[in-house]
Structures are given as structure tokens and as C-alpha cells.
Amino acid sequence: MSELVAYICKKVKKIELSDDSIIKINSKKIQFNLLSLDAKTYLVGLGNKFYEATAQKLDDEKYSISINGKLFEVEIRTTLQEKARKLLEASGSTNHKLEVKAPMPGMILKVKKRVGEEVVSGEPVIILEAMKMENELRSPVAGKLKELFVTEGSPVEKGIKLFSIES
Amino acid sequence: MFKKILIANRGEIAVRIIRACRELGITSAAIYSEADITALHTKLADKSYFIGKAKSSESYLNKLKIIQLAKKINADAIHPGYGFFSENDDFIKSVENEKLVFIGPPSSAVSLMGSKTAARKLMNQNNVPIVPGTTEPIKSIDEGISTAKDIGFPVLLKASAGGGGKGMRKISSEKEFVSSFEATQREALKAFANDSIYIEKYIENPRHIEVQIIADKHGNYAHLFERECSIQRRHQKIIEESPSSFVDMATRERITRAAINAAKACGYYNAGTIEFLMDANKNFYFLEMNTRIQVEHPVTEMITGIDLVKEQISIAAGNKLSFNQEDIKINGHAIECRIYAEDSNNNFLPSSGKIIEYKEPAGPGIRLDSGFSRNSIISVYYDPLIAKLIAWSGDRKSSINRMIRALSEYYISGVINNIPLLNLVLENKNFIDGNYDINFIENHILNKKNGNIVSENPDIEGLENAAVILASILKTKSAPKESLHSNINNNRWLDQLYE
């Protein structure tokens, strides 16, 4: 049996995986049927309902999974990995630092804040031009702009660190 | 008729034009950029020519290369689709100068209508009602502020060369003016290579009603009724229908007559659309004329039976309209959903990436105009439109139900898409009752606090469980067991073959 912890849609799920057809999610026993159709596509059966799924491995602990066309990002760790991560987090700095990454490749059109400046939650920090549109990238929390990793006019790839906010 | 047409576009509209060419027995020549080598239009065209790097300015907006290519391959005509060069009078003039035919209006009509301010002036002179505001571009920020104060806030800032909802901003107060003005200018310069801006009164809660017109080079004009395109986000349409549930017979008579007048005023030929804003009292105001085929043209095709793209080609070749106004009746009701690669829960941020799995809906009354397939890349360089899904039925309610059914069959994975948002609109009582305006998405669908869409998929628990199960298996095992059907040796017909 494997014990895992998954994060999906900001929710934590405790998982006990017994075999190829029985799983406990937050202590609820679920019988399932999982078939691989090709390298990236799967069929998941839960009771009398079938779901079409595709999966992409983002890194060792993260998968991008689409179920019936709805996209989920699932973080998944063994209980051991999860304990190690929590320890590491607790030993880090007391101030909480949040990094914002580029949601898509594009070009940095404008940087609206300077390092050290206060921002409120939802305030635009960077304007990223992509797909012929100006997209405001906002601070997810209130705090201070701690670091800025990009400059105006520079192209960025998806997932590149843009800025960090200390809250 | 033409023998060969160069299609100066990409995505679903390029595919749409290839299909029309094929039905007419015309050779279709597509162009593709580095990013589009696997795109559907590249594979579907009779001939496909590499045009340049992914960036539009080096490919689909490279005038010289496109015209040189058309000459080199002996194309008779160029179809511009929508966007890119479709409303660029300079491009049209160059095409005309090279003795090629532009499938669209004359450059003179495009210049007139391309400048939104000149168009407003012309409409005003021809008894087509316009929205109060300036008929000249604003020269300075000070002038803009004083004009805005005269008309009264809120006002809209609009790019004179704009259209399609790009380069447009609402300003509610004087203090927002400077930053909004500069942002609109930047966007306008980038999108339309022209940064002049004008001001219009902001009409509260209007509906967007537009009229499809079509005219030949012999002076025959016809309209193909109205489309309602009030369901918008970021000032861009996502659901369109025809006929409008709001427009009655008398209003239809008035608005289609105004549209024909507008087309005549600029000496128009080929397909075009006159866009109007309509207030709660069914007063309508000229917004702009789109001098091209529109994204939402299929709903008109479904209710009238006219193939607008084939008609465009025939008109460009010098033929008369293939029908008379009296022959055209509204048959049933059609609705279109634009399937965008974007995140409705994140300020409609476009999503890019590879489409890993893709299944299209089908069945009675369904049409899908798509530019992508499995393994296609939604590129960051272009518009995030994946496809247009169109449902037709005898009346509005049943075509809405048909659309909901078709959306439930549509499966796109690998990129985030707006199908959940479209479903919420189609199932909303106000939408079903025809009780909505252009602010519907903000007012009824988005959560005012966080901007996310209001409700969730009713089976969210099942979806999440399926995702968690798949992740658990992938994490702990190298691969799940394979489907028996993927193994060709298990095909019982194969055995019989060798018996």
C-alpha cells in the first residue's frame, strides 16, 4: 500500500492506494478502473461513469491532468516527501515570500512597481503582452515587492519567475 | 471564375476559405509561419507556402512577401480572411496595383470606414444614427479631457483605426484619463499601426446588434438580417446568434434599411457588417462597419442558406449576387460559441500549449469551424481562438439546448478553454429569457469579489477524484495497464483474415 498527499484546487487530499482498483481519498473508499489508451491518454472509470483523461508530468511532484477537458494541476508527494517539505518550510525565513511566475510566454511591456514598493492584493505589477493582448499580472497578496526578475521589453518563457512579494 | 486563390490568413478562417475554394473547384494556396507548420490550414490546402517566422510582422503581416508569392504562383486573387490585412487599405491598393483581385471591398470604402471618425461623419450625413462623441481624432490629452467633460463621464476611448474590441477603454472619471489614454494609444499603435484616438459617449447597458450586408460590383445591395452579439468579455464577442430575440419586425425593417444606406454611402461591394448599439428602447446607433467577413458569419449562413464565403469569391470575380432580397427568409435560429484557449477564472488570460487530446462534437444541426486538431499548438503569437461551434434548430430555445448538448461532447485537453464559461451562459435563466445586454458576463456570470466564474461543474468531485487517482497511479507506478484494444493481435477480424 502507498500513502500519498495530493494538492488539487487548493485542497489537500490524503491518499491510501491499495492496488490497481481501490483507493482511499480522505478515508473514503473508492473503486476505480484505469486504462491507458496511449502514452498520454487514459480512461478513468468511477462506478458507472467514465472520464477521459490526459496527463503531462511537469516535475517529479507535479502533474497537469485534464479530466473531460477540465484542466487540473495536481501536486502529489509520498507522505515522507511531504514531511520533508514541511520541515524545510518551517526552517525557512519567518516572512512569507510568494513568487509569481509567467503564466504564458510573452513580452514584458511595462513594470508598474519598483522594488520595495508596497502593493495591495490584486494590484497590477507587470503588463505582459501575449497573444496580441495586454495582460495585467497582479499581485496575489498584499505586501512589499521584494524582487523583480525581469525588465521592460524583455521576452519571457512560460514559468519564468517574474517577481516576488513579501507579505 | 478564379483558378487559384492565395489565402492570406491562418486558423479556422483559412480552413473555411479552403473549403469554399474546394467546393468551387478553385485551387487553394495557403501560407504558414514557422509556428503553423502543423496547423490544420497548412495540411488542408492544395498548396502551402512557408512565409516566415512566427511573429505576425514577419509572416501573416508581411505585405511584400505575400504579394510577391501571389504573383510567383500565379494566383488570381487574395482572400484576406479577418484580422491581419483584411481591413488594410494600403494592402488592398498594393494588390489592386499588381493586377490581382482582392476578395473584399474596394480600398476606397475600407479607408473611409477604417477611420472610425471619418465613418462617423459619413454616417451622420447619410441619416444613419451615431453615438454622441467626436468625429475627429483627439489631438492632446487636455483636449480629450475637456471633450470627455463636455459629453459627460463615463466615456469610451477608441482607436480610430480599431475594431474587434481591441484598442478600446472605458473611462469613468477624469483621474483615470491619462493612464488609460496612453495604454489605449500603445495598444492601438501595436494592433493597427495608428495611434489616433477618439471619444464616444458610453451608452449604458446596450445590446450589440449588427447587420450582414452584401453587394456586388453592379450596384446590387442586399442584407442578410441581423446578428446579436451581446455576450462579450473584454469587449470581445463569445456568443452570437441570429435572429436576435430582442429585434421585432418593425425594428428589423428600420435597422436593415439603415445598414443598406450605410453600405451605399461608402460605395461598398462584397460582404460587410454594420455594427450598432441598441438601447433598451430599441433605439440604435452606428458603431462601426467591418469591411470584411466576420468571425460570426456562420450563424447568418445557417438561417439563410447563403454561403457567404463562396458569395464573396463570386462577387470578387465580377458576378452578380446569386439571389434577390425577396428570396431570403429567416429559417429557424442559429447560435455560435467561440471556443477560446483562455482561463475564465483568471481574468481571461490566454492559454497556450499543445492540444493533447481533441474530440469534436457532431450530430443533428451542429457545425464546427475549427483551425486545430490533436497535437496542434496554440501559439502565443496569435489570437487564442480554437474553434467556432454553431448550432442550428427551428427556434431559439431548441438551438440553445442543442448547443449545450454539443458542448458536452467537445473534448479539448492540454490547454485551458472557456467551455465551462459558455455552459454557464447558456444555462442562465436571463440568457434563456433573452434578458441581457453587453455587460451580461460581468453582471451574471462572474463573481463580483474575485472575478471567477460563479458556479462550478456539478460533478466537480468526480472530476477531482479521477485526477487524484490518475496522479496517484502515475506517481507510484511506471505506467497503468494498457487497454486491450490498443493491441492489434486481439482484433478478432484479423484472425479471420488469416484463417
Side-chain angles (χ1 to χ4, degrees):
Chain A
M1 193 181 76
S2 322
E3 289 186 17
L4 303 160
V5 178
Y7 290 81
I8 182 169
C9 302
K10 293 173 186 157
K11 282 176 279 192
V12 194
K13 310 257 182 189
K14 278 196 173 152
I15 296 158
E16 292 168 50
L17 185 64
S18 324
D19 58 22
D20 276 355
S21 60
I22 294 169
I23 194 168
K24 272 188 187 170
I25 301 178
N26 287 342
S27 309
K28 195 176 154 197
K29 193 168 151 184
I30 298 171
Q31 200 141 22
F32 69 93
N33 195 1
L34 177 64
L35 288 175
S36 154
L37 302 176
D38 61 34
K40 281 179 181 165
T41 61
Y42 307 89
L43 203 58
V44 186
L46 297 179
N48 294 318
K49 177 105 181 122
F50 278 91
Y51 299 90
E52 295 188 87
T54 62
Q56 271 177 301
K57 191 172 178 172
L58 300 177
D59 60 42
D60 196 42
E61 301 183 342
K62 213 184 261 180
Y63 293 87
S64 169
I65 290 179
S66 160
I67 306 289
N68 282 2
K70 188 168 166 61
L71 206 60
F72 295 96
E73 203 159 274
V74 186
E75 269 184 56
I76 189 153
R77 283 179 274 276
T78 61
T79 39
L80 201 67
Q81 283 173 328
E82 177 71 359
K83 268 182 198 150
R85 190 188 66 92
K86 285 207 163 142
L87 266 170
L88 210 66
E89 203 173 61
S91 68
S93 70
T94 43
N95 278 348
H96 192 63
K97 197 179 84 178
L98 197 82
E99 280 175 349
V100 174
K101 294 175 179 172
M104 68 181 103
M107 202 197 46
I108 304 298
L109 199 66
K110 208 167 171 63
V111 178
K112 305 190 82 164
K113 292 279 161 188
R114 281 189 308 272
V115 172
E117 223 175 317
E118 296 286 332
V119 291
V120 299
S121 172
E123 197 176 352
V125 177
I126 277 176
I127 297 178
L128 177 72
E129 190 194 53
M131 291 170 157
K132 297 201 296 181
M133 304 269 261
E134 290 189 10
N135 303 286
E136 283 185 343
L137 301 180
R138 301 162 184 193
S139 173
V141 290
K144 200 190 267 180
L145 184 63
K146 169 112 170 117
E147 295 155 294
L148 197 59
F149 304 103
V150 292
T151 52
E152 287 183 8
S154 56
V156 291
E157 291 299 319
K158 183 174 176 171
I160 289 276
K161 280 189 271 183
L162 297 176
F163 58 89
S164 68
I165 303 283
E166 193 177 66
S167 57
Chain B
M1 193 46 110
F2 305 125
K3 287 198 178 65
K4 188 188 277 183
I5 292 175
L6 180 77
I7 300 160
N9 214 303
R10 63 179 299 282
E12 67 83 20
I13 194 64
V15 172
R16 170 74 186 88
I17 299 163
I18 292 167
R19 286 178 171 147
C21 288
R22 194 152 291 161
E23 288 179 25
L24 290 167
I26 297 170
T27 302
S28 56
I31 56 175
Y32 65 94
S33 73
E34 225 164 44
D36 275 339
I37 188 148
T38 61
L40 202 53
H41 79 278
T42 311
K43 293 183 271 186
L44 221 52
D46 293 324
K47 293 267 162 37
S48 289
Y49 299 91
F50 177 71
I51 197 76
K53 290 220 161 69
K55 240 175 131 182
S56 299
S57 57
E58 295 182 36
S59 51
Y60 302 103
L61 282 176
N62 189 328
K63 180 176 95 169
L64 212 64
K65 263 194 181 172
I66 291 172
I67 292 179
Q68 273 172 357
L69 176 68
K71 282 166 64 187
K72 195 177 134 206
I73 64 170
N74 289 319
D76 305 297
I78 297 183
H79 198 307
Y82 52 69
F84 296 124
F85 279 129
S86 60
E87 298 183 276
N88 183 310
D89 54 341
D90 183 51
F91 179 82
I92 303 172
K93 269 184 214 138
S94 304
V95 174
E96 289 165 348
N97 288 342
E98 295 293 341
K99 303 277 179 286
L100 292 161
V101 180
F102 180 79
I103 301 175
S107 56
S108 54
V110 176
S111 344
L112 256 175
M113 287 302 182
S115 159
K116 303 302 168 197
T117 42
R120 281 164 58 78
K121 215 182 219 170
L122 184 70
M123 293 303 106
N124 208 16
Q125 289 158 359
N126 284 272
N127 297 322
V128 181
I130 61 168
V131 183
T134 59
T135 51
E136 300 288 345
I138 300 297
K139 287 182 194 69
S140 67
I141 288 178
D142 288 344
E143 187 198 331
I145 291 174
S146 92
T147 310
K149 279 183 177 163
D150 285 348
I151 328 172
F153 286 101
V155 296
L156 272 182
L157 283 186
K158 290 176 133 186
S160 299
K166 284 178 182 145
M168 182 158 106
R169 260 187 183 71
K170 179 188 174 186
I171 304 187
S172 309
S173 68
E174 195 181 331
K175 70 175 200 287
E176 294 168 37
F177 198 92
V178 176
S179 70
S180 294
F181 188 83
E182 285 169 349
T184 312
Q185 265 189 331
R186 271 202 310 274
E187 240 178 68
L189 191 64
K190 202 147 291 149
F192 315 108
N194 179 336
D195 69 353
S196 68
I197 305 286
Y198 72 100
I199 298 183
E200 257 180 31
K201 171 91 188 139
Y202 181 80
I203 307 264
E204 301 282 347
N205 307 325
R207 298 173 78 117
H208 177 115
I209 310 280
E210 60 186 33
V211 177
Q212 176 72 54
I213 63 98
I214 192 154
D216 60 27
K217 294 176 178 172
H218 308 275
N220 300 306
Y221 289 81
H223 70 81
L224 294 172
F225 307 106
E226 82 281 359
R227 290 184 287 258
E228 165 137 23
C229 319
S230 299
I231 305 298
Q232 309 183 350
R233 56 97 187 88
R234 280 188 164 198
H235 299 303
Q236 282 181 295
K237 306 158 186 171
I238 54 168
I239 295 180
E240 300 101 339
E241 43 185 320
S242 185
S244 162
S245 60
F246 187 63
V247 173
D248 55 38
M249 290 285 276
T251 310
R252 182 168 297 131
E253 171 64 32
R254 283 193 297 130
I255 200 169
T256 53
R257 197 174 334 117
I260 295 270
N261 286 344
K264 284 182 176 166
C266 65
Y268 202 83
Y269 55 72
N270 218 290
T273 296
I274 325 287
E275 296 189 333
F276 297 94
L277 289 180
M278 193 176 277
D279 67 19
N281 301 317
K282 296 189 168 68
N283 297 311
F284 55 85
Y285 306 94
F286 171 82
L287 194 59
E288 60 185 36
M289 177 168 190
N290 293 315
T291 54
R292 53 169 154 88
I293 191 81
Q294 297 266 103
V295 175
E296 59 271 25
H297 75 275
V299 292
T300 299
E301 296 186 322
M302 299 297 271
I303 61 145
T304 59
I306 300 293
D307 185 318
L308 279 165
V309 178
K310 286 207 284 197
E311 203 70 27
Q312 277 195 299
I313 295 172
S314 165
I315 288 166
N319 299 317
K320 288 188 173 168
L321 285 182
S322 71
F323 58 89
N324 297 315
Q325 185 71 69
E326 315 77 80
D327 303 336
I328 305 299
K329 299 274 179 297
I330 297 177
N331 177 24
H333 180 272
I335 184 165
E336 172 182 281
C337 285
R338 298 192 191 188
I339 313 297
Y340 277 109
E342 64 182 23
D343 188 356
S344 310
N345 273 337
N346 196 359
N347 200 22
F348 305 104
L349 206 62
S351 165
S352 60
K354 188 181 196 174
I355 298 180
I356 298 172
E357 188 60 89
Y358 185 76
K359 287 199 188 89
E360 298 189 335
I366 294 300
R367 164 176 170 181
L368 187 77
D369 284 21
S370 163
F372 297 92
S373 56
R374 188 171 180 220
N375 290 334
S376 291
I377 310 274
I378 305 290
S379 159
V380 65
Y381 294 99
Y382 315 112
D383 193 89
L385 182 68
I386 301 173
K388 305 178 317 202
L389 180 60
I390 303 106
W392 177 92
S393 193
D395 58 71
R396 184 168 184 268
K397 184 76 208 350
S398 52
S399 72
I400 292 173
N401 288 340
R402 184 163 271 175
M403 178 62 84
I404 294 170
R405 185 269 295 169
L407 283 174
S408 76
E409 295 172 12
Y410 206 168
Y411 181 75
I412 303 166
S413 83
V415 291
I416 301 173
N417 63 68
N418 66 338
I419 291 176
L421 174 80
L422 293 167
N423 265 315
L424 283 176
V425 175
L426 296 166
E427 285 165 4
N428 184 287
K429 187 170 184 304
N430 284 303
F431 176 76
I432 293 168
D433 293 344
N435 175 21
Y436 57 90
D437 56 54
I438 62 170
N439 303 311
F440 176 82
I441 299 270
E442 284 81 2
N443 291 342
H444 294 281
I445 300 297
L446 300 183
N447 182 324
K448 292 232 160 48
K449 263 196 228 130
N450 57 16
N452 288 354
I453 56 181
V454 169
S455 83
E456 266 290 3
N457 189 312
D459 186 31
I460 188 69
E461 200 191 336
L463 297 173
E464 284 183 11
N465 283 343
V468 168
I469 289 169
L470 182 55
S472 307
I473 294 282
L474 291 173
K475 173 85 182 169
T476 54
K477 304 210 165 40
S478 50
K481 63 187 170 191
E482 263 195 37
S483 156
L484 293 176
H485 301 284
S486 65
N487 188 339
I488 195 157
N489 294 328
N490 287 329
N491 185 331
R492 63 194 180 99
W493 305 113
L494 204 67
D495 290 342
Q496 288 181 1
L497 211 62
Y498 296 109
E499 258 172 18

